[in-house]
Amino acid sequence: MYNFGSMQKGLSSENASNLLKEYGYNELPTAKPKNIGRIALEVVKEPMFILLLICGLLYLLLGDYYEGIVLLCWIFIIIFITFYQYRKTEKSLDALRQLSSPRALVIRDGLQIRIPGREVVPGDIVLLNEGDRVPADATVIESNHLTIDESLLTGESVPVLKGHDQTKDDIFSGTLVVQGSGLVEVKSTGVNTEFGKIGTSLKSIEKGTSPLQGEMKLLIRNLFIIGAIISVGVITAFYFTRGNFIESMINGLAAAMALLPEEFPVVLTIFMALGAWRLSKNKVLTRVPSTIETLGSATVLCSDKTGTITQNKMEVAVLYHNNQTYKKEDFVSNKNEIENLLINLNLASTKDSIDPMEQAIFTEHEKLFASNHIDQLLKEYPLSKDLFAMTRVIKMSSNNTIAFCKGAPEAVLKLCRLSEEESQRLLDKVHQFAAQGYRMIAAAKCELKDNNFPSSQSEFEFEFNGLVGFEDPIRPEVPDAIKECIKAGIKVIMITGDYPATAKSIATQIGLEHNDQVITGSELKEMSLDDLKNKIQDTQIFARIVPEQKLQIIEALKANNEIVAMTGDGVNDAPALKAADIGVAMGFKGTDVARESSSLVLLDDNFASIVSAIRSGRKIFDNLQKAMSYIIAIHIPIIGLVLMPAFFSTLPILLMPMHIVFMELIIDPTCSIAFESEQEEKEIMNRPPRNPNERFFGWQKIMYSLLNGLLLLSMVVIIYFISIKEGHSETEVRTIAFSSLIIGNIFLILSSLSTTRSFISVFKERNKAVYIIIFSALAVLLLVINVPFFQEIFSFTYPGSQHFVSAFLGALGLLLVLEIIKWVRFNRAVSK
C-alpha cells in the first residue's frame, strides 16, 4: 500500500456520528416494502376487480351462493399470486442491492478502519486502492497513479487518471478504482451525490397505465352496461310472454350470469402474474407485471453499448509489429512473430493488475506463451499527466536489464525519438486502427548496460517495438439477437458515450445497418424535438451521448408513437429506463438506481434475454387475445339460448343458472390456464410488432369472435329443433342440446388455441391443461346426464345414447367450418 505524505487523522468517531444523524445514511431512498394488506387494497381498488367483487356479491344476494363464493375466492387467489410475485421480485432485488453495496476504508480518530459504505459521511477521509468502489463523491487529496473507471456515469470505458501533480480532481460515488491508490475527502453522500441527483430526478417521470389496461377497462364497462340492459330486457320479455315472475327472474339471473364479463379481469391478471413467473424462470425479473403485454408490442429497442452490447472489458484485438498487422484470429499461427511484442507489453504491465488493458495483455500472453523464467522488478516509472506512458525496469532471468515501456502512441513515439516521417507514418497507422474502433497503445524497450537508472523516462534510449489495439468485445449472443430483432420488425438503436468511429465499428460487428449515419451528442444538443423526430427514423447509432440526451431520445421515439424498450445498467441510464415503455435493467452489473427505475431486470445481464422476453411477451399477448376471443365467442351461444325462450313462449327453456355455472367451470380454467400455457404461434418473431394504435379488440377481431360464437349457437339450435321435432320431452331436449353445447365448446377450444396450427397439431402437442379440462368436462357431462341425483338438479332426462349422435356430428361439422375459416385467415395474413 502507498504511504501518503499527509498526516491525516480524519474525523473523530463523535463527529462522524453527529454528521451521520445530520446527513443520513449514504444510500438512496427506496420504496417501502408493501405488506399483503396494501397489495390487497391496490388489487381491490382496480376497477376490474371492483366489478368482479360486485358480481360475486350480486350472485350471493340473488341466492346463487356457489357462483358468488367462487368469484370471491378468485379475488383472494389473485391477491395471493400478486403478493407472492411482488415479494419474490423485491427479495431478488434486495439481494442484488446487498451484493452491490460497497465498503469503505476510512480514517477515524487517526486509525484506518473499514466501515459499510452507507456509514460514510461528508468530511470523511477515505483511502482507495485498486478494486475499490468509490463510496461517495469526493475530492482527491493525494494520488499514486489513481485511475478511475467512470463508465457507470459517463458510458466511457477508458479509465481516467486522477489527482496527479496535486490537482484537486473530483471523483464520484459508484465509480471503480482500476489502478493505483489515493487519499480522498468526501464532499457529498446519499441523494446529494451525482448518483443521488439522477435518482431524485426520476421522481418527475410518471408512468401511465398500459394501453391494454385502459382498453380492457373500457371493454368491461361497455359489456357490463350491455349485459345489464339485456338482463332487464330478458326479465321483462319473459314476464310478458309467459306471465310467470319466478321463471322470469330465473331466466333474468341466467342472462346476467351469461353476460356479466367476470372472466376478463381474472384472465388478464392471471396471464400477467403467470407471465411474470415464467419470465423469472428465464432470468428476467418482472417488477411491473403490466409491462409484459407492452413487451410483445415493442417497436424499438434502445441499448447502451458498454456492458450491454459489449462485455465492458478489454481484449487484445490487433498487434502491429515489424510493419505487419496481426488480427486476433492470426495470433496462434504467428505466435513466433508476435512473441517479442507481447513479452514487451507483459513486462511493462503491473502484476495482478485490475486495469482492463493490462488484464487483457496478461490473458493473451498466458494463452500463447509459458512463463517459466523469473524476472525481478528494479524500478518503475508511473504515468503522469505530462507523459502518458509507464516504464518498468526488469532484471531478466538471462541477467540482462531491460526497460519495458508502454503508453499512449504519441507519448511512446516521442520517447523513441523517431524521425518526423516515421512518427507520422506510425500515427497514421494508429488513426486507421482507431477508426476501426480499437483503443491503441504503443510499446518500446531499451536494454541497459548498468544499474544507473535515469530520473525520468525521457532519458532512456527506447526502441519502438509495436502497437497493440484493444477492443471491448461484443457479447457473443448479441449478433443473433440483433438478427432476431430485425426479423421481428424491431428497430435496434445503440446509445453510447463512446466516439462515433468506435460506435460504428461495434454496430457493424453486431449487424446494425447504420449506413455511416451517426448522431453525436453535440449535434443532438442543437436539435429541436421535431428535428430529432424526423432524423431518428433513419438513425440507429447515437454517440458521445450524455444522460439527459438519452432521455431526449426516448421522448422523441415516443412522440413518433413507438413502443420503446430500453436496456441499460448505469446510473446514466436510469431516467431513460423509467421514461421508456419498457425499462430493462441489468441485474448483475447494474446499479440500484437503474434497477429501481426499470420494469424488468435481467438477472444474467444477457442481451439475448431481452429478445427472449420480447418473444415471450408476444406469446403471452397472442394467448391472451385468443383467450379473450374465446370468452366472447362462448358467451354468444349462452346468451342466444337464454334469450330464445324469452321471446318465443312455445319453446322449452334450455339454460338455467346451474347449467351456466357448469359452463363457467369449463370456461374459467380454459381461458385462465389452457390458453395461458399454450405454446407460441408459428413465425412469431418473423412478423412486425403490433401497431401501437391498433386496439386489442378492434371490430375485426370482435366480428371474428362473434362469428365463431354464432356458428356454435347455430349448431346447438339446429340440434335443439331436431330434438323437438323427434318428439322428445322438454328435459330430454335440454339434455341433448346441452350436450351438443358442451361438445361444441370443446371443439371450439381446440380450434381457438392456435391461429396458425390445426386442431390436430394442437392436440398432439400434449398441453396437459387442455387434456385435463376436456376429459374432466366429458366425464362430468356423462355424470350429470346419467346419475338420477344430478339429473334432478340439472332438469335432465337420459334420452338414450343413439340420440347423442346428432350432437357429435354437429360438433364435428362445426369444427370443420372453424378450421377452414382459420386456414383462410392465416393464408390471407401470410400473403400480405
Side-chain angles (χ1 to χ4, degrees):
M1 185 180 293
Y2 182 74
N3 293 317
F4 293 101
S6 299
M7 295 298 293
Q8 296 285 346
K9 292 187 177 180
L11 297 173
S12 67
S13 299
E14 184 180 352
N15 284 343
S17 178
N18 291 334
L19 288 168
L20 188 61
K21 291 176 184 175
E22 180 180 351
Y23 291 98
Y25 284 110
N26 177 35
E27 60 188 5
L28 299 183
T30 56
K32 291 182 179 178
K34 300 174 186 175
N35 57 35
I36 193 165
R38 185 176 165 192
I39 290 174
L41 182 62
E42 288 181 2
V43 170
V44 175
K45 277 196 307 185
E46 283 290 321
M48 292 184 294
F49 288 95
I50 292 173
L51 173 62
L52 186 60
L53 185 62
I54 291 171
C55 290
L57 294 175
L58 177 64
Y59 291 150
L60 289 176
L61 289 173
L62 291 173
D64 193 346
Y65 298 111
Y66 181 85
E67 184 71 7
I69 290 169
V70 168
L71 287 176
L72 294 175
C73 286
W74 269 117
I75 293 176
F76 292 107
I77 292 169
I78 291 162
I79 290 171
F80 172 77
I81 292 173
T82 306
F83 181 74
Y84 174 78
Q85 184 60 37
Y86 170 81
R87 291 301 300 157
K88 183 178 177 183
T89 298
E90 290 306 313
K91 280 182 180 178
S92 299
L93 287 172
D94 187 57
L96 290 169
R97 196 177 296 117
Q98 293 296 326
L99 286 172
S100 64
S101 178
R103 295 182 67 80
L105 182 64
V106 301
I107 300 177
R108 296 265 178 94
D109 302 314
L111 301 174
Q112 296 182 16
I113 59 171
R114 193 168 291 279
I115 62 172
R118 67 194 297 264
E119 295 178 10
V120 170
V121 296
D124 257 328
I125 304 300
V126 180
L127 289 86
L128 296 174
N129 294 287
E130 285 187 17
D132 287 346
R133 184 75 66 180
V134 178
D137 287 3
T139 299
V140 177
I141 300 173
E142 295 187 42
S143 167
N144 174 38
H145 189 218
L146 180 64
T147 309
I148 306 287
D149 176 3
E150 297 183 336
S151 61
L152 283 177
L153 274 172
T154 65
E156 174 59 62
S157 57
V158 176
V160 181
L161 190 65
K162 296 284 185 178
H164 258 265
D165 301 323
Q166 302 306 312
T167 57
K168 302 295 184 183
D169 278 357
D170 289 333
I171 60 174
F172 304 100
S173 172
T175 55
L176 179 69
V177 181
V178 295
Q179 197 170 39
S181 54
L183 198 66
V184 301
E185 182 177 357
V186 174
K187 295 193 311 177
S188 306
T189 58
V191 295
N192 297 316
T193 63
E194 291 302 310
F195 249 86
K197 289 173 185 175
I198 295 175
T200 303
S201 72
L202 300 176
K203 295 178 181 177
S204 62
I205 303 171
E206 296 296 330
K207 281 277 190 182
T209 58
S210 70
L212 179 56
Q213 285 176 315
E215 189 176 335
M216 197 59 63
K217 288 177 183 178
L218 182 64
L219 177 63
I220 289 170
R221 187 197 69 184
N222 292 340
L223 288 175
F224 180 78
I225 293 170
I226 293 169
I229 293 170
I230 292 177
S231 296
V232 172
V234 167
I235 294 172
T236 305
F238 211 99
Y239 180 73
F240 282 109
T241 57
R242 303 200 182 213
N244 188 319
F245 182 74
I246 294 177
E247 282 192 352
S248 300
M249 286 298 296
I250 290 173
N251 279 272
L253 175 61
M257 294 173 66
L259 289 164
L260 289 177
E262 73 273 8
E263 296 97 349
F264 284 107
V266 173
V267 170
L268 179 60
T269 305
I270 287 178
F271 263 70
M272 295 303 105
L274 289 179
W277 176 75
R278 292 186 190 282
L279 285 177
S280 71
K281 294 294 183 183
N282 293 319
K283 305 296 183 183
V284 179
L285 194 66
T286 307
R287 287 180 52 82
V288 184
S290 62
T291 304
I292 295 170
E293 55 95 359
T294 313
L295 193 62
S297 306
T299 59
V300 177
L301 172 56
C302 294
S303 176
D304 185 42
K305 176 184 75 70
T306 305
T308 306
I309 288 175
T310 64
Q311 299 177 35
N312 198 20
K313 68 178 186 179
M314 288 296 172
E315 189 175 272
V316 177
V318 63
L319 294 170
Y320 181 76
H321 182 60
N322 290 335
N323 298 322
Q324 291 290 323
T325 299
Y326 303 93
K327 295 290 184 70
K328 61 182 177 183
E329 56 268 23
D330 303 322
F331 289 172
V332 174
S333 58
N334 293 280
K335 60 182 295 185
N336 293 331
E337 286 78 5
I338 62 175
E339 181 177 11
N340 187 278
L341 175 57
L342 273 176
I343 289 174
N344 189 153
L345 291 164
N346 184 54
L347 294 176
S349 302
T350 307
K351 300 295 183 186
D352 302 319
S353 171
I354 66 164
D355 181 284
M357 289 187 180
E358 294 192 337
Q359 284 184 338
I361 290 169
F362 286 129
T363 299
E364 202 59 51
H365 183 269
E366 287 177 7
K367 271 199 281 185
L368 295 174
F369 311 109
S371 241
N372 295 323
H373 51 278
I374 300 172
D375 306 310
Q376 180 185 356
L377 174 66
L378 301 178
K379 187 173 178 62
E380 186 172 29
Y381 298 81
L383 284 83
S384 69
K385 287 194 173 181
D386 292 332
L387 184 63
F388 205 73
M390 66 177 291
T391 298
R392 301 177 82 240
V393 181
I394 305 290
K395 186 177 182 71
M396 307 293 289
S397 55
S398 60
N399 287 325
N400 292 347
T401 302
I402 303 176
F404 295 99
C405 174
K406 69 173 173 54
E410 296 85 352
V412 174
L413 292 178
K414 184 179 177 182
L415 291 174
C416 292
R417 301 181 180 86
L418 298 174
S419 67
E420 190 174 330
E421 255 183 45
E422 181 65 7
S423 289
Q424 190 57 51
R425 184 184 71 81
L426 289 169
L427 285 174
D428 288 344
K429 201 70 182 173
V430 169
H431 294 149
Q432 287 176 26
F433 286 129
Q436 298 173 48
Y438 300 126
R439 303 195 182 282
M440 303 301 297
I441 64 172
K445 64 181 181 178
C446 171
E447 188 163 350
L448 305 178
K449 295 180 180 178
D450 53 46
N451 288 338
N452 294 322
F453 306 138
S455 59
S456 69
Q457 297 180 74
S458 59
E459 297 178 41
F460 286 104
E461 295 182 2
F462 282 115
E463 175 188 346
F464 177 75
N465 200 5
L467 301 169
V468 57
F470 300 89
E471 66 178 0
D472 183 0
I474 62 171
R475 292 178 177 270
E477 69 277 359
V478 169
D480 287 339
I482 295 289
K483 285 179 187 176
E484 195 163 12
C485 285
I486 293 170
K487 285 195 299 181
I490 301 168
K491 180 179 180 180
V492 179
I493 292 178
M494 185 173 71
I495 303 174
T496 177
D498 225 326
Y499 289 97
T502 303
K504 284 193 285 189
S505 173
I506 294 293
T508 301
Q509 291 179 56
I510 63 176
L512 279 185
E513 297 178 2
H514 51 82
N515 298 321
D516 281 337
Q517 290 184 319
V518 180
I519 294 178
T520 63
S522 57
E523 293 170 341
L524 189 58
K525 192 175 181 181
E526 304 300 322
M527 285 186 191
S528 66
L529 179 60
D530 288 336
D531 289 338
L532 182 56
K533 281 171 60 180
N534 292 328
K535 291 189 177 181
I536 205 169
Q537 295 179 35
D538 302 312
T539 303
Q540 291 185 266
I541 304 175
F542 287 81
R544 305 304 289 169
I545 298 299
V546 295
E548 312 84 69
Q549 292 176 321
K550 292 189 175 188
L551 183 58
Q552 186 182 348
I553 293 166
I554 297 295
E555 289 172 343
L557 288 166
K558 292 179 76 171
N560 282 339
N561 295 318
E562 303 283 5
I563 301 296
V564 186
M566 195 276 186
T567 66
D569 58 358
V571 175
N572 57 326
D573 296 318
L577 281 170
K578 189 168 184 180
D581 296 287
I582 307 151
V584 187
M586 299 294 154
F588 184 65
K589 293 183 180 177
T591 60
D592 284 347
V593 175
R595 291 193 288 268
E596 293 284 353
S597 307
S598 64
S599 43
L600 299 176
V601 178
L602 301 184
L603 296 179
D604 58 357
D605 286 8
N606 190 332
F607 182 87
S609 294
I610 181 60
V611 183
S612 174
I614 289 174
R615 187 183 198 110
S616 295
R618 289 190 174 194
K619 171 190 167 184
I620 293 165
F621 191 88
D622 283 349
N623 287 345
L624 179 61
Q625 203 163 55
K626 289 181 290 187
M628 297 298 189
S629 179
Y630 163 75
I631 291 170
I632 291 176
I634 192 56
H635 276 70
I636 299 302
I638 296 174
I639 294 166
L641 295 172
V642 168
L643 292 179
M644 271 179 27
F647 293 98
F648 301 97
S649 59
T650 58
L651 296 177
I653 297 172
L654 176 57
L655 292 184
M656 292 182 291
M658 185 55 69
H659 303 127
I660 298 173
V661 170
F662 184 92
M663 289 294 297
E664 292 292 336
L665 291 175
I666 301 173
I667 295 170
D668 286 346
T670 297
C671 51
S672 300
I673 300 172
F675 279 98
E676 193 282 330
S677 60
E678 184 58 23
Q679 67 173 273
E680 67 186 40
E681 298 291 351
K682 289 180 181 178
E683 306 295 320
I684 194 169
M685 291 298 278
N686 287 340
R687 69 187 192 208
R690 172 175 170 259
N691 185 338
N693 297 320
E694 181 184 346
R695 297 180 68 84
F696 177 79
F697 256 125
W699 282 109
Q700 188 176 358
K701 294 184 179 71
I702 291 176
M703 293 305 294
Y704 177 67
S705 299
L706 292 175
L707 174 61
N708 285 350
L710 288 171
L711 286 171
L712 177 55
L713 173 61
S714 300
M715 185 272 290
V716 176
V717 168
I718 291 171
I719 304 299
Y720 179 67
F721 282 112
I722 289 174
S723 301
I724 293 173
K725 190 175 179 180
E726 289 177 348
H728 290 285
S729 66
E730 180 177 331
T731 52
E732 289 176 338
V733 168
R734 185 179 296 115
T735 306
I736 295 169
F738 186 75
S739 299
S740 66
L741 176 61
I742 297 297
I743 298 167
N745 177 42
I746 290 170
F747 286 164
L748 175 63
I749 292 168
L750 287 173
S751 182
S752 301
L753 280 169
S754 174
T755 57
T756 61
R757 308 186 308 282
S758 70
F759 81 96
I760 297 174
S761 298
V762 169
F763 201 75
K764 283 181 178 179
E765 285 157 6
R766 298 181 181 177
N767 184 329
K768 291 181 181 178
V770 175
Y771 284 173
I772 292 169
I773 290 166
I774 289 174
F775 292 121
S776 297
L778 291 174
V780 176
L781 177 63
L782 289 173
L783 190 69
V784 298
I785 64 177
N786 282 285
V787 177
F789 173 75
F790 293 110
Q791 286 178 346
E792 184 177 349
I793 293 175
F794 282 84
S795 299
F796 284 163
T797 300
Y798 185 66
S801 57
Q802 71 275 13
H803 294 290
F804 292 107
V805 173
S806 58
F808 277 103
L809 292 177
L812 285 172
L814 169 71
L815 180 61
L816 180 62
V817 173
L818 291 174
E819 288 294 294
I820 290 172
I821 294 172
K822 180 167 68 174
W823 182 82
V824 170
R825 292 181 80 238
F826 174 65
N827 283 279
R828 187 180 295 169
V830 170
S831 64
K832 289 181 181 179

